[in-house]
Amino acid sequence: QVGLEVHPRTPMARLSTGQEQLVQIAVAIGRGAKLIIMDEPTSSLSQGEALRLYDIIARLKRDGVTLIYVSHRLDEIRLLCDRVTVLRDGKHVDTRRVTDVSTDELVRLMIGRPVGEYFPHHTGTPPGAVRLSVSRLSAAGRFSDISFDVRGGEIVGLAGLVGAGRSEVARAIFGVDRFQSGRILLDGAPLERHGPREAIRRGVGLLPEDRKRQALIVSMTCRQNLSLPLLDRLKRWIFLDGRAEKRITREYFDKLRVVAPGI
C-alpha cells in the first residue's frame, strides 16, 4: 500500500531514512489505527513517494481515520489538512480552518514577523572568489563525473530524488566516503584522499541527512556533542577545559536559538 519495494527480510539497518519512514507508515496503517499522528513523514521521501503517501492519507480520511499531520511544508498543510494549529517556541499561537488563512498569514504566525522579512537578503549580494571546486568526482555505483564550484557568500543546492547520489557527494567531499577519481580544491589547495579530521582542520563541516545516526552521539549531552569537533581547541594538556566548553555551548545556543531543557 505504501509502495515500498524492498525485500521483507532486509534488515532495517540497511534501509535509507526514506525507506525507514515508509516502513513506519506501513506499521501504523497495518495495525488498523483509528488515530494516526504523522510527524514530518515526507522529510526524507522523494516526490513520487510523497505523492503516494498523499493518496494513502486521502484513503484513510475517507475510511474515517483521524490524522494529526506535523509539518513545516505549507503546501502540504494546504493540500491535506482541514484545520491548522500553529505552535511557536512550545506555545499555541492560533488555530484556523485552512480555507480561512493565507499562506502569508501562516508564515507570519509561524515566525512572528511579516513574511517580507522572512526572505534572505544575501541573494542580492554578488558572490566572492571560488572557495570550493569539485571536478569530475566519481565513485563507482554511487555517482559519476560531478563538477561544480561554490563561491564565497553563495549557497549551492544539490537536487535529485532519494538515491540519486546527493548525500554521497557531500560525504565524499567531507572525507567520510572514498572516491575513485576526480579532484577537490579548497581555496585553491587540494583536498584529496582525506578524512573528516583533515576536512574539519581545513574548515569544512558536514550536517548529514540522518543526524541521529551519522552526526550525534544521542547518549551524550548537547554540550558534549557540540564540543566533540572542538576538542583540540578545548583541551588543556590532557584535560578538557570545562569552563570554555560551557561558554562556547552557551554562545551557540544563543546564536541558534536552541530550545532545550539545558546544555
Side-chain angles (χ1 to χ4, degrees):
Q1 290 184 14
V2 300
L4 177 60
E5 297 178 4
V6 173
H7 195 283
R9 293 189 181 277
T10 305
M12 287 289 289
R14 292 189 194 169
L15 301 184
S16 69
T17 305
Q19 290 171 328
E20 285 181 350
Q21 288 193 288
L22 288 175
V23 171
Q24 292 167 355
I25 293 165
V27 168
I29 295 172
R31 285 176 172 164
K34 295 302 180 184
L35 168 63
I36 299 178
I37 303 171
M38 295 188 175
D39 188 358
E40 302 205 36
T42 60
S43 60
S44 297
L45 300 185
S46 69
Q47 183 66 16
E49 291 167 335
L51 292 174
R52 193 176 295 119
L53 176 62
Y54 298 161
D55 290 339
I56 293 170
I57 289 173
R59 189 184 73 246
L60 291 170
K61 183 178 175 182
R62 288 195 300 270
D63 292 342
V65 176
T66 298
L67 294 116
I68 298 175
Y69 193 92
V70 180
S71 179
H72 59 268
R73 297 181 176 181
L74 300 186
D75 54 340
E76 291 184 346
I77 298 296
R78 304 200 74 84
L79 176 68
L80 300 173
C81 301
D82 299 300
R83 287 184 295 145
V84 56
T85 289
V86 178
L87 304 178
R88 187 171 68 245
D89 295 335
K91 296 180 181 179
H92 174 261
V93 176
D94 205 351
T95 297
R96 306 267 190 95
R97 292 197 63 82
V98 169
T99 53
D100 295 339
V101 60
S102 68
T103 300
D104 285 0
E105 178 67 4
L106 271 179
V107 173
R108 188 191 67 77
L109 292 171
M110 288 169 61
I111 65 176
R113 58 184 188 272
V115 66
E117 298 179 15
Y118 178 70
F119 295 101
H121 302 293
H122 72 268
T123 52
T125 305
V130 173
R131 301 295 308 275
L132 174 70
S133 180
V134 177
S135 178
R136 310 203 69 175
L137 203 65
S138 298
R142 291 178 288 150
F143 53 84
S144 176
D145 201 23
I146 304 297
S147 298
F148 60 90
D149 290 337
V150 183
R151 297 175 176 273
E154 184 178 51
I155 299 174
V156 173
L158 297 180
L161 299 177
V162 172
R166 303 161 303 169
S167 299
E168 288 79 1
V169 169
R171 287 166 59 88
I173 293 172
F174 190 63
V176 176
D177 296 340
R178 297 296 181 185
F179 55 92
Q180 277 74 50
S181 60
R183 186 177 66 166
I184 303 173
L185 297 179
L186 185 62
D187 290 329
L191 188 64
E192 297 177 334
R193 309 299 174 204
H194 63 289
R197 184 186 297 272
E198 173 65 11
I200 292 172
R201 190 186 68 80
R202 296 278 301 274
V204 180
L206 173 68
L207 275 66
E209 176 185 22
D210 188 345
R211 286 175 282 281
K212 286 186 178 178
R213 188 179 297 170
Q214 300 172 357
L216 299 170
I217 301 176
V218 292
S219 60
M220 296 172 66
T221 65
C222 298
R223 172 176 57 82
Q224 291 166 333
N225 272 281
L226 191 146
S227 62
L228 279 174
L230 309 175
L231 292 179
D232 286 345
R233 289 164 47 187
L234 293 174
K235 68 182 181 182
R236 285 186 175 181
W237 301 98
I238 61 171
F239 301 103
L240 187 68
D241 187 339
R243 288 186 178 180
E245 185 186 40
K246 289 181 180 179
R247 186 182 68 252
I248 290 175
T249 303
R250 287 289 184 195
E251 177 185 337
Y252 279 96
F253 262 53
D254 292 341
K255 281 184 177 180
L256 302 176
R257 302 180 191 176
V258 177
V259 179
I263 65 171

